[in-house]
Amino acid sequence: LKCSPIISYKTQLEFKKIIPEDIRCVPEWLQGTLLRNGPGLFKVGDTEYNHWFDGMALIHSFTFKDGEVYYRSKFLRSDTFKKNTQANKIVVSEFGTMIYPDPCKNIFSKAFSYLLAAIPDFTDNNLINIIRYGEDYYASSEVNYMNQIDPITLDVIGKMNYRNHIALNLATAHPHYDDEGNTYNMGTALMRFGMPNYVIFKVPVNASDKEHKKPALRKVKQVCNIPFRSTLFPSYFHSFGMTENYIIFVEQPFKLDIVRLATAIFRSVNWASCLKYDKEDITLIHLVDKKTGKAVSTKFYTDALVVFHHINAYEDDGHVVFDMITYKDSNLYEMFYLVNLRKETHEFIETNKVNFSPPICQRFVLPLTVDKDAPNGNVVRLKDTTAKAVMQRDGSLYCLPETIFEGLELPGMNYKFNGKKYRYFYGSRVEWTPHPNKIGKVDIVTRKYIEWTEEDCYPSEPVFVASPGAVEEDDGVILSSVVSLNPKISPFMLVLNAKTFEVIARASIDASVHMDLHGHFIPTQNTIQRCFYLDGYL
């Protein structure tokens, strides 16, 4: 692949030191481990995945200690990984690659396979993100399975099934953490007694019991249920918003066809084809009180859109404000089929420029109280935004967003400001290349934009780490792992000044590194000390 190296599943890197190239050093205050997750293996034996999001998970760790950086990578030893490697071929289906059982050679055996798969048992190839529940860390995707990992050795501790603790078939890989360290997340209950629902749940910060090896999910608490707008066509969602007092769930018209999902094998289609976008529909916005679990009675809605990533949300003078990256269609997923990514850049651009809609950062504002006599029907009273909420005859509010910036995805921010009024966000610049080749910073107040880029280099999503005792929101560093198509440029860890985007240091990695998706920074001294003890550095 031109976009991501194909790595042997037998390859893994033990803990090794990587040396900063620049004479300026990595800040000594930067102490912790950055875990990164993403697809890393696309071919097993003579079989190959169809989609970039199907590749078997490869986890990287970058440990920062006293101005030095140490690196390790390891394939996630999931059940999927074990089955595929033992068979020396792909035998477990992924969302873009459906593997049909050997008996599926005639209509009768296909019907039998359909009956077995009426409730899909999804893969546990958790390649999207790293989630913390209590003190436990999990490689996660969007299914009911997760794999708990040791954040130092990257070994799998055990496989976790949400359904053993809460009735869920799907769950997001983008949870939220409040100031106390509690974790909030959302999932979808497709098959359960009663009507299917979206489920918001909470895992307390003190839920882990390592002494007795009890998982944090055993203390999961359901916050609320939200009924599907359409019973057989629930909305797909990849993330959600959270303020101090509210959960924001955007029920978009990018929908999962449950009947098609349940009959995917019988119809000889992959699970990805079960997602459909209805551009004629509306987008509902649900606002739920975190403490009571009750939804605000006002109906908020906007035009049809597709959203994968929320940026941030906060409350301001009787309003809930939330920012997210939106699209006009659902074609983004189609672009990442490997047959597309292998095209030359000019061919890739020519193929996709007509159908691809750019990511747009948009701000929505939801008034908690409504002045029915507001001029022009707009009930938003905030002066620092052009976003509107227009009263309709039936009492609902039609929301018109403000566009903040166009062309950034994989957004990140100073997480200290999560759920609070903020000024800056960071992201990967999306232009006409198969993968982002820039990372940028947006000042929401001034609308100024700065970026880092280097020829033939492709950075991962930017991760912000605050300086000790920082008061200003952008006082800290940006971390990004960078790969290159140029064989003369080794992969490297990039450290930027978050204020100016000037390079502080870069540390080269003498190994194959893939383009990844998301990650988690663990700023704990105890974790670092254990890491060095295990590998003989102490």
Side-chain angles (χ1 to χ4, degrees):
L1 294 177
K2 296 175 181 176
C3 60
S4 181
I6 295 180
I7 307 171
S8 166
Y9 62 80
K10 297 178 181 178
T11 299
Q12 67 182 54
L13 291 175
E14 291 307 318
F15 204 56
K16 61 187 295 185
K17 183 176 178 180
I18 53 181
I19 308 298
E21 295 177 350
D22 199 289
I23 57 173
R24 294 166 290 177
C25 294
V26 174
E28 292 197 2
W29 58 260
L30 183 59
Q31 305 280 328
T33 297
L34 174 63
L35 299 179
R36 302 290 305 168
N37 196 357
L41 181 64
F42 301 92
K43 186 175 182 180
V44 184
D46 295 327
T47 58
E48 193 169 3
Y49 290 111
N50 297 328
H51 200 281
W52 190 63
F53 294 159
D54 293 345
M56 286 200 287
L58 178 62
I59 301 178
H60 305 275
S61 71
F62 300 86
T63 296
F64 300 84
K65 176 177 168 57
D66 300 333
E68 296 179 330
V69 189
Y70 298 80
Y71 174 75
R72 169 188 276 129
S73 69
K74 185 175 292 186
F75 284 103
L76 179 72
R77 262 52 179 185
S78 62
D79 287 346
T80 295
F81 179 92
K82 295 173 183 176
K83 291 176 183 177
N84 287 344
T85 54
Q86 287 170 6
N88 196 32
K89 64 179 181 179
I90 299 170
V91 296
V92 179
S93 295
E94 302 293 338
F95 277 87
T97 307
M98 184 63 75
I99 304 300
Y100 304 103
D102 289 339
C104 290
K105 295 180 180 178
N106 56 58
I107 188 64
F108 301 106
S109 58
K110 287 185 73 172
F112 177 70
S113 298
Y114 151 65
L115 292 174
L116 294 179
I119 301 177
D121 190 24
F122 296 115
T123 171
D124 70 334
N125 178 35
N126 304 126
L127 77 163
I128 295 179
N129 204 357
I130 305 294
I131 291 180
R132 177 183 61 76
Y133 285 124
E135 297 178 7
D136 303 341
Y137 292 91
Y138 297 88
S140 63
S141 49
E142 296 185 322
V143 297
N144 57 296
Y145 293 120
M146 297 185 296
N147 277 282
Q148 185 180 353
I149 63 168
D150 184 314
I152 303 307
T153 66
L154 307 184
D155 291 333
V156 171
I157 297 174
K159 184 176 177 178
M160 187 66 58
N161 188 343
Y162 276 112
R163 291 201 295 255
N164 292 337
H165 306 277
I166 187 171
L168 291 178
N169 298 89
L170 305 168
T172 85
H174 286 287
H176 283 282
Y177 309 98
D178 64 18
D179 290 340
E180 288 74 41
N182 304 305
T183 304
Y184 288 82
N185 207 349
M186 278 197 67
T188 304
L190 300 176
M191 290 93 175
R192 57 177 294 176
F193 295 108
M195 295 296 289
N197 289 277
Y198 309 107
V199 180
I200 299 171
F201 59 94
K202 171 185 175 181
V203 179
V205 63
N206 61 354
S208 299
D209 184 352
K210 294 187 179 298
E211 181 180 353
H212 300 93
K213 297 183 179 180
K214 294 182 179 179
L217 279 176
R218 66 194 172 88
K219 289 192 176 182
V220 63
K221 299 178 180 178
Q222 187 167 298
V223 176
C224 78
N225 288 329
I226 301 173
F228 292 174
R229 180 161 41 130
S230 175
T231 302
L232 295 179
F233 297 94
S235 171
Y236 168 79
F237 56 97
H238 185 72
S239 62
F240 61 100
M242 188 174 83
T243 70
E244 181 180 356
N245 295 296
Y246 295 96
I247 297 287
I248 302 108
F249 167 50
V250 176
E251 191 175 12
Q252 61 186 342
F254 187 30
K255 305 173 185 179
L256 178 64
D257 185 330
I258 292 180
V259 174
R260 188 175 176 86
L261 177 73
T263 60
I265 290 181
F266 181 64
R267 296 171 182 266
S268 298
V269 298
N270 62 27
W271 289 324
S273 69
C274 303
L275 288 167
K276 298 296 181 183
Y277 177 57
D278 184 358
K279 65 180 181 180
E280 304 300 327
D281 203 350
I282 63 170
T283 300
L284 278 179
I285 304 169
H286 300 272
L287 197 58
V288 177
D289 189 303
K290 282 166 55 179
K291 296 182 178 64
T292 66
K294 295 182 178 179
V296 173
S297 59
T298 303
K299 177 185 176 181
F300 301 100
Y301 74 99
T302 190
D303 296 324
L305 56 78
V306 171
V307 57
F308 297 101
H309 295 111
H310 284 247
I311 303 173
N312 194 20
Y314 60 89
E315 298 162 40
D316 187 9
D317 191 23
H319 300 73
V320 169
V321 181
F322 68 98
D323 302 334
M324 58 185 187
I325 308 293
T326 68
Y327 294 84
K328 294 180 180 179
D329 55 49
S330 60
N331 293 333
L332 181 68
Y333 188 92
E334 300 296 323
M335 294 175 63
F336 283 88
Y337 276 99
L338 297 185
V339 67
N340 289 328
L341 293 183
R342 289 195 174 108
K343 295 176 180 178
E344 295 291 339
T345 299
H346 72 276
E347 186 182 359
F348 179 91
I349 294 172
E350 193 65 29
T351 302
N352 293 286
K353 68 180 181 181
V354 175
N355 297 322
F356 175 70
S357 66
I360 301 175
C361 169
Q362 293 189 310
R363 169 162 291 181
F364 292 81
V365 179
L366 311 180
L368 295 173
T369 57
V370 175
D371 178 7
K372 296 184 178 180
D373 297 322
N376 302 317
N378 177 27
V379 295
V380 173
R381 302 183 305 277
L382 300 180
K383 303 300 182 182
D384 61 350
T385 181
T386 59
K388 298 178 180 179
V390 180
M391 176 70 72
Q392 305 298 296
R393 290 183 178 180
D394 61 359
S396 63
L397 292 180
Y398 171 50
C399 299
L400 295 164
E402 173 188 7
T403 295
I404 294 176
F405 190 82
E406 181 176 315
L408 279 189
E409 248 293 4
L410 304 178
M413 54 172 292
N414 181 344
Y415 205 78
K416 179 181 178 182
F417 288 80
N418 188 59
K420 304 176 180 65
K421 193 167 187 177
Y422 74 119
R423 179 169 179 172
Y424 306 104
F425 75 94
Y426 311 89
S428 298
R429 184 74 170 171
V430 177
E431 297 176 315
W432 284 116
T433 57
H435 280 290
N437 61 354
K438 303 174 183 178
I439 50 177
K441 172 187 178 182
V442 176
D443 184 328
I444 296 173
V445 175
T446 66
R447 302 303 164 91
K448 290 182 178 180
Y449 169 77
I450 57 176
E451 66 183 24
W452 175 90
T453 186
E454 185 173 316
E455 188 175 359
D456 293 329
C457 289
Y458 297 85
S460 67
E461 67 169 356
V463 175
F464 178 91
V465 181
S467 302
V471 175
E472 295 180 304
E473 183 182 338
D474 60 349
D475 182 0
V477 296
I478 293 294
L479 305 178
S480 177
S481 59
V482 182
V483 300
S484 176
L485 302 182
N486 187 338
K488 296 181 180 180
I489 302 177
S490 299
F492 59 93
M493 169 54 62
L494 178 68
V495 183
L496 299 177
N497 182 319
K499 284 182 175 292
T500 64
F501 262 42
E502 294 176 338
V503 176
I504 294 176
R506 49 190 281 174
S508 292
I509 307 165
D510 184 19
S512 295
V513 177
H514 70 319
M515 291 287 292
D516 53 32
L517 289 170
H518 301 293
H520 190 98
F521 185 78
I522 308 173
T524 53
Q525 186 64 25
N526 289 340
T527 300
I528 298 173
Q529 294 295 346
R530 175 174 165 249
C531 182
F532 282 84
Y533 176 77
L534 283 173
D535 287 277
Y537 285 92
L538 291 182

